Amino acid sequence: MDWPGAAAGSEAPCSARARGPVPRPVATNYHPPVTPIPASTPAESAAPAPLMVSAAVARRFLVLRHLLAPPRALPPGEQSVLGVLERLGSLQFDPLQIAGRNHDLVLQARIAGYRREMTDALLYERRLLFEAYNKGLSILPTAELPLYRLTWDRARARHDGGAFDEHAPLVEELLDRIRRDGRLSSTDVGPRASIDWYWRPTNQVRAILEALAEAGILGIARRDGNRRIYDLAERLFPVDLLAERRTVREQAKHRLLSRYRANGLLGAGGQSELWIGTGRAAPDPEQPGHPTRTELRAELVAEGTLIPVAVEGLRGARLVVASDLPWLGRAVAEVAAGESPGGTAAAVSLLAPLDPFCWDRDLLRGLFGFDYVWEVYVPQAKRRWGYYVLPILFGDRLVGRIEPRFDRPARAVRVLGAWWEPGFDPLEAKGFVPAFASALAAYRAFGRATRVTFPRDRSSRTLAGAVARAG
C-alpha cells in the first residue's frame, strides 16, 4: 500500500476553555466513522492482509506515536495534558508517590516543565478529565463518560444486592449528609466497625463511599493527597452527559479500542491484565448479551478502525489504530533514511511503570529485547532490580532501568540503583550521558528537588561525575 504522509508533529489538543462552570466536553475524534458490517457478512472475512514492517520500523513507530521522539517536546500547560489524553485515550492512576504518581510520570516524559497541578486542575476544577475504571483506575476524557458508564451500572447492580442492602442506613446517612452539607471524605465521619472489603478489612464509611463512587452515584470532587473527597455525580458532571446512554456493545467496543489506542501495537493475546474490563475472549454464559473481545476486535478490523500489521520477529498479527498510520509512514521514512528518532539527537525518557508504552511485556521482550517486570508487589528477597523502577528509553532503545526516590524534606532525588542492559555501557554510548543528564534534570525539576544523588559504589560515582559534567 502507499504509506500516508509523515505526521508533522503532535495532534492539536482540545480547544481551550475558560475556568468556571463546566460545559459539556467536546468528544474526541481519534478514529474514523464506523461503517456497519452487514449481518450476513462475518467480520473475520473482511480483515485485510497485514502490512509488513521491520522490527526497526515498529520500534521507531512506537516512540513516535507515544510522543517520546523527542521526549518532553510538548509545551507546558493543561492543553498539552489534553493532547496526550487525546493520543493515548486513558492513563492509569496509581496512588503510590515514591517516584511520582504513575500518570504524572507518563505526562512528565512528554511535556516540558510538567507539574501535577496541570492535571489536577483538569480533573477537579475544569472537569475535562475524570477518574473511572478502565484498565484499573484510570484518568479518562469526560466527553467519553457515556462510553465508560457500563462499569458504573454493573457496580450499581452488584452493590444493590450486597453492600447497599447490608448497610442501607449508612448509605442513606452518607447521601443525606452530602446532599445537605456538600463534599465529604471518609475522615469527616466517625469511624465504624470494619467490614471485609476487597483485599482487606476496611472502615465501613470508607467502603460505602467507595462503593457509591464505583456505582456512579458519587464522584471524586478532589483529592487531598490520597484522601478522596466525594460529591454527588450530578454536581460534578453535566446532567445531559450523565443522562446519555450507549448500548452495551458500543461501550464494550470503545473500551476494547481504548487498549489499542493507548499502547499502539497490541495483538490479540498477551498477559491477562491487558484486557481487564473488556469482557471475555469467548462467550460468557453468565453474560449472554455481552459481545466477546474476539468478535468486537474483528469488527474493528473490518471497519478499518484497526489495521493488521505483521512485525518482523513477532508471532501473530499486531493491530494499529488507523489514525496512527501517518506515524507508521514516518517511521518507515526515518528508518530508510537512517535518521534518528524524530529527526533529533537521541534523547532519554524515564518511563512510568504503568506507561501504556510498557503495558505489553511480550512486546517489550520480543521487539526491544527488554524483560520488564514491575516488582512493586514482588517480595524484596525475590526482586531482580528494585521496588519502584523506571525503564530507561534512549532514542528507540530500552537500555536500562533506574530506581529514583523523592526525598522531599531534603529536596533531593535519591537514585537507589541503575541497571543496564547487556552490551550497553552508559559511558561509552554516543550521546547518552548528556541525554541522561537532561532527563534527570527534568525529573528533578518535576519533583521540585534541587539535587540528584547516586549510590556510593565506584560505577555509580563515575556515572554521577559524568552526568554532573554534562549538566
Side-chain angles (χ1 to χ4, degrees):
M1 66 173 290
D2 293 330
W3 290 104
S10 61
E11 296 173 0
C14 304
S15 58
R17 295 179 176 85
R19 295 181 182 274
V22 180
R24 182 183 175 110
V26 177
T28 55
N29 58 353
Y30 61 90
H31 64 81
V34 168
T35 302
I37 300 173
S40 60
T41 303
E44 292 85 349
S45 66
L51 304 174
M52 307 293 293
V53 300
S54 68
V57 166
R59 287 191 292 269
R60 185 65 56 87
F61 162 70
L62 279 175
V63 297
L64 287 170
R65 64 88 55 192
H66 271 276
L67 304 172
L68 294 169
R72 301 178 299 281
L74 297 177
E78 295 172 15
Q79 286 300 109
S80 289
V81 175
L82 293 174
V84 174
L85 263 294
E86 175 78 12
R87 172 65 51 80
L88 302 180
S90 76
L91 300 177
Q92 283 183 260
F93 189 117
D94 186 90
L96 290 176
Q97 301 192 57
I98 293 168
R101 298 177 300 182
N102 180 75
H103 67 275
D104 289 321
L105 292 173
V106 173
L107 294 163
Q108 187 272 332
R110 294 160 171 84
I111 300 173
Y114 173 77
R115 297 292 183 270
R116 60 182 290 166
E117 291 81 7
M118 298 174 189
T119 303
D120 287 349
L122 292 167
L123 281 166
Y124 311 126
E125 297 174 27
R126 299 176 67 192
R127 303 205 183 278
L128 298 179
L129 304 176
F130 77 114
E131 298 180 35
Y133 283 87
N134 185 22
K135 185 179 179 290
L137 183 61
S138 300
I139 295 174
L140 304 163
T142 303
E144 297 181 11
L145 185 153
L147 289 161
Y148 285 102
R149 67 172 303 131
L150 184 61
T151 303
W152 286 357
D153 296 340
R154 288 185 171 164
R156 176 70 178 265
R158 184 174 72 252
H159 291 314
D160 274 345
F164 292 164
D165 284 350
E166 295 167 16
H167 304 281
L170 180 58
V171 171
E172 286 306 313
E173 176 188 339
L174 295 174
L175 288 176
D176 284 345
R177 180 162 173 175
I178 292 173
R179 292 186 192 106
R180 181 184 67 248
D181 301 330
R183 298 174 177 181
L184 185 75
S185 79
S186 60
T187 59
D188 295 325
V189 181
R192 313 294 168 88
S194 294
I195 59 175
D196 289 335
W197 193 250
Y198 293 114
W199 299 282
R200 64 185 183 277
T202 299
N203 168 22
Q204 286 182 50
V205 174
R206 178 178 177 178
I208 297 305
L209 286 171
E210 186 174 315
L212 289 165
E214 289 175 351
I217 298 167
L218 300 180
I220 298 177
R222 64 181 179 88
R223 285 177 179 263
D224 183 3
N226 283 331
R227 186 168 63 99
R228 303 177 185 185
I229 292 89
Y230 298 95
D231 204 347
L232 299 174
E234 59 260 34
R235 291 176 180 164
L236 303 177
F237 304 109
V239 173
D240 60 337
L241 196 68
L242 291 173
E244 183 176 339
R245 293 293 187 272
R246 299 293 187 94
T247 66
V248 169
R249 191 175 196 87
E250 285 178 299
Q251 293 184 63
K253 195 172 183 178
H254 182 85
R255 189 179 295 246
L256 179 62
L257 178 59
S258 76
R259 305 305 161 86
Y260 291 96
R261 179 184 173 192
N263 175 265
L265 202 60
L266 295 180
Q271 69 268 19
S272 60
E273 59 261 32
L274 284 172
W275 311 111
I276 290 173
T278 62
R280 295 190 179 187
D284 183 357
E286 296 182 2
Q287 295 181 336
H290 197 290
T292 67
R293 289 202 310 268
T294 303
E295 63 183 281
L296 293 176
R297 185 184 299 111
E299 285 186 14
L300 289 166
V301 171
E303 294 163 1
T305 301
L306 293 178
I307 308 299
V309 173
V311 179
E312 171 194 14
L314 298 184
R315 295 177 57 185
R318 295 278 162 168
L319 295 167
V320 171
V321 179
S323 58
D324 279 347
L325 285 179
W327 295 103
L328 191 55
R330 178 168 172 175
V332 169
E334 284 190 1
V335 171
E339 296 177 0
S340 60
T344 62
V348 167
S349 306
L350 309 181
L351 300 179
L354 300 175
D355 194 303
F357 187 94
C358 301
W359 279 4
D360 190 342
R361 296 195 297 270
D362 290 342
L363 179 63
L364 296 184
R365 190 178 301 112
L367 191 59
F368 293 88
F370 190 77
D371 187 15
Y372 179 59
V373 179
W374 190 34
E375 297 183 306
V376 71
Y377 299 116
V378 175
Q380 184 174 358
K382 296 183 178 180
R383 290 179 196 144
R384 298 166 61 188
W385 298 289
Y387 177 69
Y388 203 95
V389 172
L390 313 183
I392 300 173
L393 181 71
F394 178 41
D396 58 6
R397 301 166 57 198
L398 286 165
V399 299
R401 49 203 98 205
I402 186 171
E403 185 174 17
R405 296 278 180 91
F406 284 126
D407 182 346
R408 290 180 173 82
R411 298 189 67 192
V413 173
R414 310 286 189 195
V415 176
L416 304 187
W419 301 263
W420 307 104
E421 290 297 281
F424 182 81
D425 185 335
L427 297 176
E428 296 296 328
K430 182 180 179 181
F432 178 78
V433 169
F436 187 49
S438 177
L440 285 174
Y443 180 75
R444 173 183 54 76
F446 157 68
R448 293 182 170 85
T450 58
R451 59 196 176 100
V452 178
T453 67
F454 285 80
R456 299 187 63 81
D457 61 275
R458 177 177 296 180
S459 61
S460 296
R461 290 202 309 270
T462 302
L463 179 60
V467 167
R469 289 188 294 274

